[in-house]
Amino acid sequence: MRKKMTLSAIKKTKGVRPLVMITAYDALFASLFEQSADILLVGDSLNMSFAGKPDTLSATMDQMLYHTNAVCIGAKESFVICDMPFGTYITKEIALQNAIRVFRETPADCVKIEGGADKAEIVQYLTSNAIAVCGHIGLLPQSLRSEGGYKVKGKTEEESQQLIKDAQAIEAAGAFCIVIEGVKAEVATAVAEAVNVPVVGIGAGNGVDGQVLVFSDMLGFFEAFTPKFVKKYLDGASLVKEAVEKYADEVKSREFPQEIHTY
Ligand code: KIV
């Protein structure tokens, strides 16, 4: 069984080996991911994967706390990030109130907030109040409506320079790690090179300090579409459907339960 990583152990992976991060929303899957992942992210993507909503925007603090507790119960030796949902860090005071709820009501190790230089003051306020923060820059799913869609970043020189400034600003504010999403690979690599904390990518190429994927995407449970950056390591949806179909057939034919399943 692996030992839970500390914040400083996570930072020290920079330049040594890539970090492995995966989302988790419940105790059962978290316990299965624990042995291979360095970090479990209770992402607000659970609003889509778990709750079936079209985007992350309606996720609530209570929902995040519920799922974070479940993940922490299932994977006691994992470093766990609780995502702060949309609207829960609009001022530094509101951010601190909500982040304190995460620390009081769950054993999560840190929170994650979306945004770059514009959120540096909030990150600084949290970290100076003993809340560990993971940043999230690039494509920001919580900005879906204000940006008019999910937009890959780093396509222009101006955007690329801004991403570097964003990463440096939140590093200076005390973030120990930064997720970078939906960014041209060479730009994400330049961002990773511009800071001393690990930069973990999703749809950001192979030159960063680690990778994160949404578990339902990488295990093939989500059938509607597969984003370009996702590799499916399992055909989960087909396996589950086949198994449940077999169960249904056996129930109907009375092949199940057999003697060995009977008291
Ligand atoms: O909510 C989430 O799962 C995330 C990942 C996409 C990084 O923030």
Side-chain angles (χ1 to χ4, degrees), residues 41 43-45 56-57 82-89 111-120 122-123 133-144 150 170 179 181:
L41 166 63
D44 59 358
S45 54
T56 62
L57 299 181
C82 173
D83 224 354
M84 300 277 282
F86 180 65
T88 62
Y89 50 95
V111 299
K112 174 166 83 57
I113 72 174
E114 292 185 10
D118 59 323
K119 294 291 182 298
I122 293 173
V123 174
V133 178
C134 174
H136 183 155
I137 62 172
L139 185 160
L140 305 178
Q142 291 176 12
S143 302
L144 167 69
Y150 297 114
I170 52 178
V179 166
E181 178 167 1

Side-chain angles (χ1 to χ4, degrees), residues 23-136:
T23 67
Y25 313 130
D26 66 84
L28 183 61
F29 275 103
S31 71
L32 301 178
F33 303 157
E34 170 149 64
Q35 65 177 23
S36 305
D38 295 310
I39 302 177
L40 299 184
L41 166 63
V42 188
D44 59 358
S45 54
L46 64 81
N47 205 44
M48 302 164 78
S49 297
F50 190 89
K53 302 278 174 59
D55 54 46
T56 62
L57 299 181
S58 57
T60 65
M61 208 61 229
D62 284 344
Q63 228 179 320
M64 297 311 300
L65 296 171
Y66 174 86
H67 287 276
T68 299
N69 271 313
V71 167
C72 292
I73 288 168
K76 293 196 174 56
E77 290 303 317
S78 290
F79 187 96
V80 174
I81 301 178
C82 173
D83 224 354
M84 300 277 282
F86 180 65
T88 62
Y89 50 95
I90 49 174
T91 67
K92 59 184 187 177
E93 290 81 10
I94 289 173
L96 184 59
Q97 271 171 20
N98 284 313
I100 286 175
R101 282 196 70 192
V102 174
F103 273 25
R104 280 205 181 128
E105 297 176 39
T106 83
D109 298 284
C110 74
V111 299
K112 174 166 83 57
I113 72 174
E114 292 185 10
D118 59 323
K119 294 291 182 298
E121 199 193 343
I122 293 173
V123 174
Q124 208 274 326
Y125 195 60
L126 295 182
T127 56
S128 63
N129 281 286
I131 306 286
V133 178
C134 174
H136 183 155

